[in-house]
Amino acid sequence: MAAESTGIFSILCDLDSNDESSDLILPAGDKVRVTNIDNAWAEIERNDCRVLIVRSDKAFDKAVGFLKEVRRRYPGLARILLSGELSALQAGIASEVVHSILQPDCDLNDLQQAIKRALKAEELINDKKLRQFISSVGHLPSFPEVLGELNEVLESEVAGVKEVANILQKDPAMVAKIMQLVSSAYFSGGYNTPTTLKEAVKLLGLRAVRDLALSIHVFEAFPQDDRWRSFSFQQLQNRSIVVSQFAADICKSAGFNRQIQGQARTAGLLHDIGMMILALNNRDNYHKAMVRAQELGQPIYVVEKMMMGVTHPQAGAYLLDLWSLAPETIHAILFHHVPMASGDTEFTPLTAVHVADSMLPPLFNAMGCNLGGRLSRDYITRIGMLDKLSEWDRMAHEYASQIPTHA
Protein backbone atom coordinates (compact mmCIF):
# COMPACT_ATOMS: atom_id res chain seq x y z
CA MET A 1 0.00 0.00 0.00
CA ALA A 2 1.53 3.29 -1.07
CA ALA A 3 2.04 5.97 1.54
CA GLU A 4 0.41 9.32 0.95
CA SER A 5 2.60 12.24 -0.01
CA THR A 6 4.12 14.16 2.85
CA GLY A 7 4.78 17.25 0.74
CA ILE A 8 8.05 17.80 2.60
CA PHE A 9 11.73 17.68 1.77
CA SER A 10 13.50 14.75 3.42
CA ILE A 11 17.16 13.78 3.58
CA LEU A 12 18.37 10.25 4.20
CA CYS A 13 21.99 10.20 5.32
CA ASP A 14 23.12 6.58 5.08
CA LEU A 15 26.45 6.37 6.86
CA ASP A 16 26.76 2.61 6.30
CA SER A 17 26.57 2.66 2.51
CA ASN A 18 28.60 4.11 -0.31
CA ASP A 19 25.72 3.55 -2.69
CA GLU A 20 23.33 6.46 -2.96
CA SER A 21 20.69 4.15 -4.46
CA SER A 22 19.83 2.92 -0.97
CA ASP A 23 17.11 0.29 -0.65
CA LEU A 24 15.27 2.32 1.98
CA ILE A 25 12.03 3.73 0.61
CA LEU A 26 11.18 7.14 2.01
CA PRO A 27 7.59 8.37 2.26
CA ALA A 28 6.47 10.07 -0.93
CA GLY A 29 7.53 13.67 -1.43
CA ASP A 30 10.73 15.51 -2.26
CA LYS A 31 13.70 13.58 -0.95
CA VAL A 32 17.39 13.01 -1.44
CA ARG A 33 19.84 10.30 -0.34
CA VAL A 34 23.41 10.99 0.63
CA THR A 35 26.15 8.79 2.04
CA ASN A 36 28.24 11.20 4.09
CA ILE A 37 27.77 14.06 6.51
CA ASP A 38 29.35 16.72 4.29
CA ASN A 39 26.81 16.07 1.56
CA ALA A 40 24.00 16.02 4.13
CA TRP A 41 25.02 19.48 5.37
CA ALA A 42 25.10 20.75 1.81
CA GLU A 43 21.56 19.49 1.17
CA ILE A 44 20.23 20.90 4.46
CA GLU A 45 21.67 24.31 3.66
CA ARG A 46 20.57 24.20 0.00
CA ASN A 47 16.96 23.10 0.53
CA ASP A 48 14.02 23.79 2.80
CA CYS A 49 14.63 20.53 4.60
CA ARG A 50 12.15 19.46 7.27
CA VAL A 51 13.16 15.86 7.91
CA LEU A 52 16.56 14.29 8.48
CA ILE A 53 16.85 10.50 8.65
CA VAL A 54 20.24 9.09 9.60
CA ARG A 55 20.88 5.39 9.12
CA SER A 56 23.86 3.83 10.81
CA ASP A 57 24.71 0.56 12.55
CA LYS A 58 28.49 0.95 12.35
CA ALA A 59 29.10 4.60 13.30
CA PHE A 60 26.84 5.38 16.26
CA ASP A 61 28.99 8.13 17.79
CA LYS A 62 29.43 9.82 14.43
CA ALA A 63 25.70 9.67 13.70
CA VAL A 64 24.62 11.04 17.08
CA GLY A 65 27.27 13.77 17.00
CA PHE A 66 25.95 14.88 13.61
CA LEU A 67 22.34 14.84 14.84
CA LYS A 68 23.27 16.92 17.89
CA GLU A 69 24.87 19.56 15.71
CA VAL A 70 21.86 19.54 13.38
CA ARG A 71 19.57 20.15 16.34
CA ARG A 72 21.71 23.03 17.51
CA ARG A 73 21.82 24.71 14.09
CA TYR A 74 18.42 23.70 12.68
CA PRO A 75 16.21 22.96 15.71
CA GLY A 76 12.96 22.70 13.73
CA LEU A 77 13.95 19.57 11.80
CA ALA A 78 12.38 16.20 12.47
CA ARG A 79 15.27 13.89 13.37
CA ILE A 80 14.96 10.12 12.95
CA LEU A 81 17.69 7.56 13.66
CA LEU A 82 17.60 4.19 11.94
CA SER A 83 19.81 1.75 13.78
CA GLY A 84 19.97 -1.86 14.81
CA GLU A 85 20.21 -3.04 18.38
CA LEU A 86 21.59 -0.37 20.74
CA SER A 87 22.96 -0.74 24.24
CA ALA A 88 21.01 0.91 27.06
CA LEU A 89 23.63 3.67 27.19
CA GLN A 90 23.47 4.25 23.42
CA ALA A 91 19.66 4.29 23.43
CA GLY A 92 19.67 6.82 26.25
CA ILE A 93 22.14 9.07 24.46
CA ALA A 94 20.26 8.90 21.15
CA SER A 95 16.88 9.57 22.77
CA GLU A 96 18.22 12.90 24.06
CA VAL A 97 18.52 14.22 20.49
CA VAL A 98 16.21 12.35 18.07
CA HIS A 99 12.44 12.22 17.84
CA SER A 100 12.37 8.50 17.07
CA ILE A 101 14.69 5.49 16.88
CA LEU A 102 13.56 2.86 14.40
CA GLN A 103 14.97 -0.35 12.97
CA PRO A 104 16.65 0.00 9.54
CA ASP A 105 14.08 -2.35 8.01
CA CYS A 106 11.12 -0.61 9.63
CA ASP A 107 7.75 -0.53 7.91
CA LEU A 108 7.17 2.47 5.64
CA ASN A 109 4.03 3.44 7.53
CA ASP A 110 5.92 3.37 10.84
CA LEU A 111 8.51 5.73 9.38
CA GLN A 112 5.84 8.04 8.05
CA GLN A 113 4.04 8.05 11.41
CA ALA A 114 7.31 8.94 13.18
CA ILE A 115 7.87 11.83 10.76
CA LYS A 116 4.34 13.18 11.16
CA ARG A 117 4.58 12.92 14.94
CA ALA A 118 7.88 14.84 15.05
CA LEU A 119 6.69 17.53 12.65
CA LYS A 120 3.50 18.09 14.61
CA ALA A 121 5.48 18.84 17.77
CA GLU A 122 7.99 21.05 15.96
CA GLU A 123 5.21 23.05 14.31
CA LEU A 124 3.63 23.81 17.70
CA ILE A 125 6.97 24.81 19.24
CA ASN A 126 7.76 27.04 16.27
CA ASP A 127 4.27 28.55 16.07
CA LYS A 128 4.39 32.19 14.95
CA LYS A 129 2.23 33.48 17.83
CA LEU A 130 4.35 31.59 20.34
CA ARG A 131 7.56 33.08 18.96
CA GLN A 132 6.02 36.56 19.05
CA PHE A 133 5.06 36.03 22.68
CA ILE A 134 8.48 34.70 23.64
CA SER A 135 10.17 37.63 21.90
CA SER A 136 8.10 39.98 24.05
CA VAL A 137 9.23 38.17 27.20
CA GLY A 138 12.82 39.25 26.76
CA HIS A 139 15.26 37.21 28.82
CA LEU A 140 14.71 33.50 29.38
CA PRO A 141 16.94 31.61 31.81
CA SER A 142 19.92 29.82 30.30
CA PHE A 143 20.75 26.17 30.79
CA PRO A 144 22.88 25.90 33.94
CA GLU A 145 26.52 24.89 33.58
CA VAL A 146 26.32 22.26 36.30
CA LEU A 147 23.56 20.44 34.41
CA GLY A 148 25.63 20.53 31.24
CA GLU A 149 28.41 18.78 33.15
CA LEU A 150 25.94 16.22 34.48
CA ASN A 151 24.73 15.46 30.96
CA GLU A 152 28.29 14.95 29.78
CA VAL A 153 29.15 12.49 32.53
CA LEU A 154 25.85 10.62 32.07
CA GLU A 155 26.77 10.06 28.43
CA SER A 156 30.10 8.55 29.39
CA GLU A 157 31.05 5.08 30.52
CA VAL A 158 32.27 6.38 33.89
CA ALA A 159 28.98 7.73 35.23
CA GLY A 160 28.51 6.79 38.85
CA VAL A 161 27.29 8.08 42.20
CA LYS A 162 30.66 9.62 43.03
CA GLU A 163 31.01 11.47 39.70
CA VAL A 164 27.46 12.88 39.84
CA ALA A 165 27.81 13.92 43.48
CA ASN A 166 31.13 15.68 42.78
CA ILE A 167 29.52 17.79 40.05
CA LEU A 168 26.48 18.71 42.14
CA GLN A 169 28.68 19.80 45.05
CA LYS A 170 29.84 22.73 42.92
CA ASP A 171 26.42 24.26 43.63
CA PRO A 172 25.85 24.16 47.42
CA ALA A 173 22.43 25.83 47.17
CA MET A 174 21.22 23.14 44.80
CA VAL A 175 22.61 20.39 47.02
CA ALA A 176 20.71 21.85 49.99
CA LYS A 177 17.46 21.89 48.01
CA ILE A 178 17.99 18.33 46.75
CA MET A 179 18.58 17.10 50.29
CA GLN A 180 15.48 18.93 51.49
CA LEU A 181 13.30 17.36 48.80
CA VAL A 182 14.77 13.87 48.99
CA SER A 183 14.20 13.83 52.73
CA SER A 184 10.50 14.55 52.24
CA ALA A 185 7.87 11.83 52.35
CA TYR A 186 7.17 11.83 48.63
CA PHE A 187 10.76 10.79 47.86
CA SER A 188 11.89 8.70 50.79
CA GLY A 189 8.54 7.27 51.76
CA GLY A 190 9.61 7.81 55.34
CA TYR A 191 12.25 5.10 55.16
CA ASN A 192 16.04 5.28 55.09
CA THR A 193 16.12 9.05 54.78
CA PRO A 194 19.49 9.93 53.19
CA THR A 195 21.89 12.04 55.21
CA THR A 196 24.55 12.65 52.54
CA LEU A 197 24.44 13.72 48.91
CA LYS A 198 25.90 10.39 47.77
CA GLU A 199 23.15 8.54 49.62
CA ALA A 200 20.56 10.79 47.96
CA VAL A 201 22.02 10.14 44.50
CA LYS A 202 22.04 6.41 45.19
CA LEU A 203 18.43 6.51 46.38
CA LEU A 204 17.14 8.43 43.35
CA GLY A 205 19.41 7.14 40.61
CA LEU A 206 21.79 9.15 38.42
CA ARG A 207 19.36 10.46 35.82
CA ALA A 208 16.59 11.03 38.36
CA VAL A 209 18.80 13.31 40.43
CA ARG A 210 19.80 15.15 37.24
CA ASP A 211 16.10 15.66 36.48
CA LEU A 212 15.42 16.90 40.00
CA ALA A 213 18.33 19.34 39.76
CA LEU A 214 16.90 20.63 36.48
CA SER A 215 13.49 21.12 38.06
CA ILE A 216 15.01 22.99 41.00
CA HIS A 217 16.87 25.29 38.62
CA VAL A 218 13.72 26.02 36.61
CA PHE A 219 11.63 26.90 39.64
CA GLU A 220 14.41 29.08 41.04
CA ALA A 221 14.77 30.81 37.66
CA PHE A 222 11.13 31.92 37.92
CA PRO A 223 10.75 33.18 41.50
CA GLN A 224 7.28 34.24 42.55
CA ASP A 225 7.00 37.86 43.61
CA ASP A 226 4.37 39.86 45.48
CA ARG A 227 2.72 40.97 42.27
CA TRP A 228 1.57 37.44 41.45
CA ARG A 229 -0.92 35.91 43.87
CA SER A 230 -3.22 33.89 41.64
CA PHE A 231 -1.50 30.60 42.52
CA SER A 232 1.51 29.43 44.52
CA PHE A 233 4.62 28.48 42.57
CA GLN A 234 5.69 26.34 45.53
CA GLN A 235 2.46 24.36 45.46
CA LEU A 236 2.87 23.96 41.70
CA GLN A 237 6.34 22.51 42.26
CA ASN A 238 5.15 20.24 45.08
CA ARG A 239 2.42 18.79 42.89
CA SER A 240 4.74 18.47 39.88
CA ILE A 241 7.17 16.37 41.92
CA VAL A 242 4.38 13.93 42.80
CA VAL A 243 3.14 13.90 39.18
CA SER A 244 6.67 12.95 38.12
CA GLN A 245 6.95 10.11 40.62
CA PHE A 246 3.50 8.81 39.67
CA ALA A 247 4.26 9.07 35.93
CA ALA A 248 7.51 7.11 36.32
CA ASP A 249 5.69 4.47 38.36
CA ILE A 250 3.02 4.15 35.65
CA CYS A 251 5.76 3.40 33.12
CA LYS A 252 7.45 0.93 35.45
CA SER A 253 4.22 -0.92 36.24
CA ALA A 254 3.51 -1.20 32.50
CA GLY A 255 6.89 -2.86 31.99
CA PHE A 256 8.76 -0.01 30.28
CA ASN A 257 12.50 0.47 30.78
CA ARG A 258 14.32 3.11 32.78
CA GLN A 259 14.79 5.32 29.74
CA ILE A 260 11.00 5.65 29.28
CA GLN A 261 10.53 6.04 33.02
CA GLY A 262 13.10 8.84 33.08
CA GLN A 263 11.50 10.72 30.19
CA ALA A 264 8.12 10.55 31.91
CA ARG A 265 9.62 11.61 35.24
CA THR A 266 11.32 14.65 33.70
CA ALA A 267 8.17 15.65 31.82
CA GLY A 268 6.15 15.31 35.01
CA LEU A 269 8.55 17.54 36.91
CA LEU A 270 8.36 20.27 34.25
CA HIS A 271 4.92 19.84 32.66
CA ASP A 272 3.50 23.09 34.06
CA ILE A 273 6.52 25.42 34.01
CA GLY A 274 4.88 27.32 31.16
CA MET A 275 2.37 28.64 33.70
CA MET A 276 5.15 30.49 35.46
CA ILE A 277 6.43 31.92 32.18
CA LEU A 278 2.95 33.24 31.36
CA ALA A 279 2.31 34.44 34.91
CA LEU A 280 5.52 36.41 35.31
CA ASN A 281 5.69 37.89 31.84
CA ASN A 282 2.06 38.84 31.23
CA ARG A 283 0.56 39.04 34.71
CA ASP A 284 -2.61 41.02 33.96
CA ASN A 285 -3.63 39.02 30.92
CA TYR A 286 -2.89 35.70 32.57
CA HIS A 287 -4.89 36.66 35.65
CA LYS A 288 -7.79 37.62 33.37
CA ALA A 289 -7.46 34.32 31.51
CA MET A 290 -7.72 32.39 34.78
CA VAL A 291 -10.77 34.38 35.85
CA ARG A 292 -12.37 33.76 32.47
CA ALA A 293 -11.57 30.02 32.62
CA GLN A 294 -13.39 29.81 35.95
CA GLU A 295 -16.37 31.77 34.61
CA LEU A 296 -16.66 29.55 31.53
CA GLY A 297 -15.86 26.31 33.31
CA GLN A 298 -13.20 25.64 30.68
CA PRO A 299 -9.70 24.17 31.09
CA ILE A 300 -7.09 26.88 31.54
CA TYR A 301 -5.16 25.90 28.39
CA VAL A 302 -8.29 26.52 26.26
CA VAL A 303 -8.66 30.07 27.56
CA GLU A 304 -4.90 30.71 27.35
CA LYS A 305 -5.06 30.00 23.64
CA MET A 306 -8.19 32.06 23.20
CA MET A 307 -6.99 35.15 25.09
CA MET A 308 -3.19 35.03 24.80
CA GLY A 309 -2.60 33.10 21.59
CA VAL A 310 -0.34 30.54 23.32
CA THR A 311 -0.74 27.82 25.93
CA HIS A 312 1.41 27.03 28.96
CA PRO A 313 2.44 23.63 27.50
CA GLN A 314 3.72 25.45 24.39
CA ALA A 315 5.63 28.03 26.44
CA GLY A 316 7.24 25.36 28.62
CA ALA A 317 8.10 23.16 25.64
CA TYR A 318 9.68 26.12 23.86
CA LEU A 319 12.07 26.81 26.76
CA LEU A 320 12.99 23.14 27.18
CA ASP A 321 13.59 22.80 23.44
CA LEU A 322 16.02 25.73 23.70
CA TRP A 323 17.75 23.73 26.42
CA SER A 324 17.88 20.65 24.14
CA LEU A 325 15.92 18.34 26.41
CA ALA A 326 14.91 14.96 25.00
CA PRO A 327 12.30 15.37 22.24
CA GLU A 328 10.15 12.64 23.86
CA THR A 329 10.08 14.63 27.10
CA ILE A 330 9.12 17.79 25.22
CA HIS A 331 6.43 15.83 23.34
CA ALA A 332 4.89 14.72 26.64
CA ILE A 333 4.85 18.28 28.01
CA LEU A 334 3.47 19.75 24.80
CA PHE A 335 0.48 17.39 24.57
CA HIS A 336 -0.18 16.51 28.22
CA HIS A 337 -3.57 18.27 28.18
CA VAL A 338 -4.52 17.23 24.62
CA PRO A 339 -3.05 13.76 24.01
CA MET A 340 -5.50 13.05 21.18
CA ALA A 341 -3.81 15.83 19.20
CA SER A 342 -0.44 14.05 19.49
CA GLY A 343 -1.37 11.39 16.98
CA ASP A 344 0.07 8.70 19.28
CA THR A 345 -1.50 5.27 18.98
CA GLU A 346 0.50 3.47 21.67
CA PHE A 347 1.83 4.02 25.18
CA THR A 348 4.53 6.72 25.43
CA PRO A 349 5.82 8.96 28.26
CA LEU A 350 2.96 11.29 27.26
CA THR A 351 0.51 8.62 28.43
CA ALA A 352 2.04 8.51 31.89
CA VAL A 353 2.18 12.29 32.33
CA HIS A 354 -1.37 12.79 31.05
CA VAL A 355 -2.73 10.10 33.37
CA ALA A 356 -0.76 11.31 36.40
CA ASP A 357 -1.72 14.96 35.91
CA SER A 358 -5.38 14.11 35.27
CA MET A 359 -5.90 11.56 38.05
CA LEU A 360 -4.13 13.36 40.89
CA PRO A 361 -6.01 16.03 42.85
CA PRO A 362 -5.73 19.29 40.90
CA LEU A 363 -4.21 22.53 42.07
CA PHE A 364 -6.86 25.25 42.31
CA ASN A 365 -5.83 28.87 42.05
CA ALA A 366 -7.12 31.76 44.13
CA MET A 367 -10.18 32.15 41.88
CA GLY A 368 -11.10 28.48 42.09
CA CYS A 369 -9.80 27.70 38.60
CA ASN A 370 -8.72 24.08 38.13
CA LEU A 371 -5.10 24.06 36.92
CA GLY A 372 -4.93 20.30 36.49
CA GLY A 373 -5.84 18.13 33.53
CA ARG A 374 -8.91 16.21 32.41
CA LEU A 375 -8.54 12.55 31.54
CA SER A 376 -9.12 11.78 27.86
CA ARG A 377 -10.85 8.40 27.75
CA ASP A 378 -10.84 8.61 23.96
CA TYR A 379 -7.04 8.75 24.01
CA ILE A 380 -6.75 5.94 26.56
CA THR A 381 -9.07 3.86 24.37
CA ARG A 382 -7.09 4.65 21.21
CA ILE A 383 -3.82 3.42 22.72
CA GLY A 384 -5.53 0.27 24.02
CA MET A 385 -5.00 0.94 27.74
CA LEU A 386 -8.58 1.32 28.99
CA ASP A 387 -8.21 -1.82 31.12
CA LYS A 388 -5.45 -0.05 33.09
CA LEU A 389 -7.68 2.74 34.43
CA SER A 390 -8.68 0.92 37.63
CA GLU A 391 -5.02 0.17 38.45
CA TRP A 392 -4.01 3.78 37.73
CA ASP A 393 -6.89 5.04 39.87
CA ARG A 394 -5.67 2.94 42.79
CA MET A 395 -2.14 4.29 42.32
CA ALA A 396 -3.47 7.85 42.12
CA HIS A 397 -5.14 7.51 45.53
CA GLU A 398 -1.84 6.36 47.03
CA TYR A 399 0.11 9.23 45.48
CA ALA A 400 -2.54 11.87 46.31
CA SER A 401 -1.67 11.69 50.00
CA GLN A 402 1.92 12.73 49.19
CA ILE A 403 0.99 16.16 47.81
CA PRO A 404 1.67 18.82 50.48
CA THR A 405 -1.38 21.05 50.92
CA HIS A 406 0.60 24.11 52.07
CA ALA A 407 2.97 26.41 50.19
Side-chain angles (χ1 to χ4, degrees), residues 216-229:
I216 290 169
H217 172 75
V218 170
F219 279 88
E220 289 183 346
F222 293 103
Q224 184 170 354
D225 58 38
D226 292 340
R227 291 180 294 169
W228 180 260
R229 301 189 180 204

PDB file of all heavy atoms in Angstrom, residues 216-229:
ATOM      1  N   ILE A 216      14.675  21.977  39.983  1.00  0.00           N
ATOM      2  CA  ILE A 216      15.013  22.988  40.997  1.00  0.00           C
ATOM      3  C   ILE A 216      15.494  24.268  40.323  1.00  0.00           C
ATOM      4  O   ILE A 216      15.086  25.377  40.687  1.00  0.00           O
ATOM      5  CB  ILE A 216      16.079  22.435  41.960  1.00  0.00           C
ATOM      6  CG1 ILE A 216      15.471  21.330  42.837  1.00  0.00           C
ATOM      7  CG2 ILE A 216      16.662  23.548  42.827  1.00  0.00           C
ATOM      8  CD1 ILE A 216      16.505  20.552  43.632  1.00  0.00           C
ATOM      9  N   HIS A 217      16.355  24.109  39.325  1.00  0.00           N
ATOM     10  CA  HIS A 217      16.872  25.286  38.619  1.00  0.00           C
ATOM     11  C   HIS A 217      15.749  26.060  37.945  1.00  0.00           C
ATOM     12  O   HIS A 217      15.706  27.297  38.012  1.00  0.00           O
ATOM     13  CB  HIS A 217      17.904  24.872  37.574  1.00  0.00           C
ATOM     14  CG  HIS A 217      18.341  25.998  36.683  1.00  0.00           C
ATOM     15  ND1 HIS A 217      19.205  26.991  37.109  1.00  0.00           N
ATOM     16  CD2 HIS A 217      18.013  26.316  35.404  1.00  0.00           C
ATOM     17  CE1 HIS A 217      19.391  27.867  36.123  1.00  0.00           C
ATOM     18  NE2 HIS A 217      18.680  27.470  35.085  1.00  0.00           N
ATOM     19  N   VAL A 218      14.820  25.348  37.311  1.00  0.00           N
ATOM     20  CA  VAL A 218      13.720  26.019  36.611  1.00  0.00           C
ATOM     21  C   VAL A 218      12.868  26.818  37.585  1.00  0.00           C
ATOM     22  O   VAL A 218      12.545  27.999  37.341  1.00  0.00           O
ATOM     23  CB  VAL A 218      12.845  24.993  35.870  1.00  0.00           C
ATOM     24  CG1 VAL A 218      11.566  25.649  35.360  1.00  0.00           C
ATOM     25  CG2 VAL A 218      13.605  24.393  34.696  1.00  0.00           C
ATOM     26  N   PHE A 219      12.491  26.210  38.695  1.00  0.00           N
ATOM     27  CA  PHE A 219      11.626  26.904  39.637  1.00  0.00           C
ATOM     28  C   PHE A 219      12.347  28.071  40.306  1.00  0.00           C
ATOM     29  O   PHE A 219      11.719  29.087  40.642  1.00  0.00           O
ATOM     30  CB  PHE A 219      11.071  25.931  40.676  1.00  0.00           C
ATOM     31  CG  PHE A 219       9.880  25.147  40.171  1.00  0.00           C
ATOM     32  CD1 PHE A 219      10.055  23.956  39.490  1.00  0.00           C
ATOM     33  CD2 PHE A 219       8.594  25.617  40.349  1.00  0.00           C
ATOM     34  CE1 PHE A 219       8.964  23.242  39.004  1.00  0.00           C
ATOM     35  CE2 PHE A 219       7.493  24.924  39.870  1.00  0.00           C
ATOM     36  CZ  PHE A 219       7.681  23.725  39.192  1.00  0.00           C
ATOM     37  N   GLU A 220      13.660  27.955  40.486  1.00  0.00           N
ATOM     38  CA  GLU A 220      14.412  29.079  41.043  1.00  0.00           C
ATOM     39  C   GLU A 220      14.615  30.185  40.014  1.00  0.00           C
ATOM     40  O   GLU A 220      14.770  31.356  40.363  1.00  0.00           O
ATOM     41  CB  GLU A 220      15.759  28.586  41.574  1.00  0.00           C
ATOM     42  CG  GLU A 220      15.624  27.742  42.838  1.00  0.00           C
ATOM     43  CD  GLU A 220      16.963  27.315  43.406  1.00  0.00           C
ATOM     44  OE1 GLU A 220      17.977  27.438  42.679  1.00  0.00           O
ATOM     45  OE2 GLU A 220      16.997  26.859  44.560  1.00  0.00           O
ATOM     46  N   ALA A 221      14.610  29.817  38.733  1.00  0.00           N
ATOM     47  CA  ALA A 221      14.774  30.813  37.663  1.00  0.00           C
ATOM     48  C   ALA A 221      13.523  31.662  37.490  1.00  0.00           C
ATOM     49  O   ALA A 221      13.575  32.739  36.887  1.00  0.00           O
ATOM     50  CB  ALA A 221      15.126  30.129  36.356  1.00  0.00           C
ATOM     51  N   PHE A 222      12.391  31.174  38.005  1.00  0.00           N
ATOM     52  CA  PHE A 222      11.128  31.917  37.921  1.00  0.00           C
ATOM     53  C   PHE A 222      10.569  32.132  39.327  1.00  0.00           C
ATOM     54  O   PHE A 222       9.558  31.538  39.706  1.00  0.00           O
ATOM     55  CB  PHE A 222      10.114  31.152  37.070  1.00  0.00           C
ATOM     56  CG  PHE A 222      10.476  31.038  35.621  1.00  0.00           C
ATOM     57  CD1 PHE A 222      10.980  29.845  35.118  1.00  0.00           C
ATOM     58  CD2 PHE A 222      10.333  32.105  34.760  1.00  0.00           C
ATOM     59  CE1 PHE A 222      11.320  29.719  33.779  1.00  0.00           C
ATOM     60  CE2 PHE A 222      10.677  32.000  33.421  1.00  0.00           C
ATOM     61  CZ  PHE A 222      11.175  30.809  32.934  1.00  0.00           C
ATOM     62  N   PRO A 223      11.221  32.973  40.121  1.00  0.00           N
ATOM     63  CA  PRO A 223      10.752  33.178  41.497  1.00  0.00           C
ATOM     64  C   PRO A 223       9.440  33.965  41.539  1.00  0.00           C
ATOM     65  O   PRO A 223       9.251  34.923  40.791  1.00  0.00           O
ATOM     66  CB  PRO A 223      11.890  33.972  42.136  1.00  0.00           C
ATOM     67  CG  PRO A 223      12.515  34.716  40.988  1.00  0.00           C
ATOM     68  CD  PRO A 223      12.408  33.799  39.806  1.00  0.00           C
ATOM     69  N   GLN A 224       8.546  33.518  42.392  1.00  0.00           N
ATOM     70  CA  GLN A 224       7.281  34.240  42.552  1.00  0.00           C
ATOM     71  C   GLN A 224       7.524  35.532  43.316  1.00  0.00           C
ATOM     72  O   GLN A 224       8.295  35.560  44.277  1.00  0.00           O
ATOM     73  CB  GLN A 224       6.276  33.358  43.294  1.00  0.00           C
ATOM     74  CG  GLN A 224       4.898  33.991  43.433  1.00  0.00           C
ATOM     75  CD  GLN A 224       3.877  32.999  43.956  1.00  0.00           C
ATOM     76  OE1 GLN A 224       4.174  31.810  44.114  1.00  0.00           O
ATOM     77  NE2 GLN A 224       2.664  33.472  44.225  1.00  0.00           N
ATOM     78  N   ASP A 225       6.880  36.597  42.887  1.00  0.00           N
ATOM     79  CA  ASP A 225       6.998  37.861  43.612  1.00  0.00           C
ATOM     80  C   ASP A 225       5.631  38.302  44.117  1.00  0.00           C
ATOM     81  O   ASP A 225       4.607  37.674  43.836  1.00  0.00           O
ATOM     82  CB  ASP A 225       7.650  38.942  42.739  1.00  0.00           C
ATOM     83  CG  ASP A 225       6.884  39.197  41.445  1.00  0.00           C
ATOM     84  OD1 ASP A 225       5.642  39.177  41.478  1.00  0.00           O
ATOM     85  OD2 ASP A 225       7.527  39.424  40.409  1.00  0.00           O
ATOM     86  N   ASP A 226       5.603  39.410  44.852  1.00  0.00           N
ATOM     87  CA  ASP A 226       4.366  39.857  45.484  1.00  0.00           C
ATOM     88  C   ASP A 226       3.298  40.289  44.493  1.00  0.00           C
ATOM     89  O   ASP A 226       2.121  40.409  44.853  1.00  0.00           O
ATOM     90  CB  ASP A 226       4.660  41.019  46.448  1.00  0.00           C
ATOM     91  CG  ASP A 226       5.459  40.571  47.657  1.00  0.00           C
ATOM     92  OD1 ASP A 226       5.446  39.355  47.944  1.00  0.00           O
ATOM     93  OD2 ASP A 226       6.111  41.427  48.288  1.00  0.00           O
ATOM     94  N   ARG A 227       3.703  40.516  43.255  1.00  0.00           N
ATOM     95  CA  ARG A 227       2.723  40.967  42.269  1.00  0.00           C
ATOM     96  C   ARG A 227       1.908  39.817  41.685  1.00  0.00           C
ATOM     97  O   ARG A 227       0.924  40.050  40.997  1.00  0.00           O
ATOM     98  CB  ARG A 227       3.433  41.730  41.148  1.00  0.00           C
ATOM     99  CG  ARG A 227       3.995  43.073  41.572  1.00  0.00           C
ATOM    100  CD  ARG A 227       4.690  43.768  40.415  1.00  0.00           C
ATOM    101  NE  ARG A 227       5.884  43.050  39.988  1.00  0.00           N
ATOM    102  CZ  ARG A 227       6.555  43.315  38.864  1.00  0.00           C
ATOM    103  NH1 ARG A 227       6.128  44.265  38.050  1.00  0.00           N
ATOM    104  NH2 ARG A 227       7.642  42.621  38.556  1.00  0.00           N
ATOM    105  N   TRP A 228       2.326  38.583  41.950  1.00  0.00           N
ATOM    106  CA  TRP A 228       1.570  37.438  41.449  1.00  0.00           C
ATOM    107  C   TRP A 228       1.027  36.631  42.622  1.00  0.00           C
ATOM    108  O   TRP A 228       1.781  36.060  43.397  1.00  0.00           O
ATOM    109  CB  TRP A 228       2.430  36.529  40.571  1.00  0.00           C
ATOM    110  CG  TRP A 228       1.618  35.361  40.075  1.00  0.00           C
ATOM    111  CD1 TRP A 228       1.617  34.095  40.569  1.00  0.00           C
ATOM    112  CD2 TRP A 228       0.636  35.387  39.043  1.00  0.00           C
ATOM    113  NE1 TRP A 228       0.698  33.321  39.890  1.00  0.00           N
ATOM    114  CE2 TRP A 228       0.079  34.092  38.950  1.00  0.00           C
ATOM    115  CE3 TRP A 228       0.168  36.389  38.182  1.00  0.00           C
ATOM    116  CZ2 TRP A 228      -0.909  33.773  38.035  1.00  0.00           C
ATOM    117  CZ3 TRP A 228      -0.819  36.058  37.263  1.00  0.00           C
ATOM    118  CH2 TRP A 228      -1.345  34.769  37.193  1.00  0.00           C
ATOM    119  N   ARG A 229      -0.300  36.597  42.754  1.00  0.00           N
ATOM    120  CA  ARG A 229      -0.917  35.906  43.874  1.00  0.00           C
ATOM    121  C   ARG A 229      -2.014  34.939  43.435  1.00  0.00           C
ATOM    122  O   ARG A 229      -2.750  34.429  44.261  1.00  0.00           O
ATOM    123  CB  ARG A 229      -1.511  36.929  44.851  1.00  0.00           C
ATOM    124  CG  ARG A 229      -0.465  37.900  45.397  1.00  0.00           C
ATOM    125  CD  ARG A 229      -1.017  38.755  46.501  1.00  0.00           C
ATOM    126  NE  ARG A 229      -0.003  39.677  47.012  1.00  0.00           N
ATOM    127  CZ  ARG A 229      -0.037  40.209  48.226  1.00  0.00           C
ATOM    128  NH1 ARG A 229      -1.025  39.929  49.041  1.00  0.00           N
ATOM    129  NH2 ARG A 229       0.913  41.042  48.613  1.00  0.00           N
TER     130      ARG A 229
END
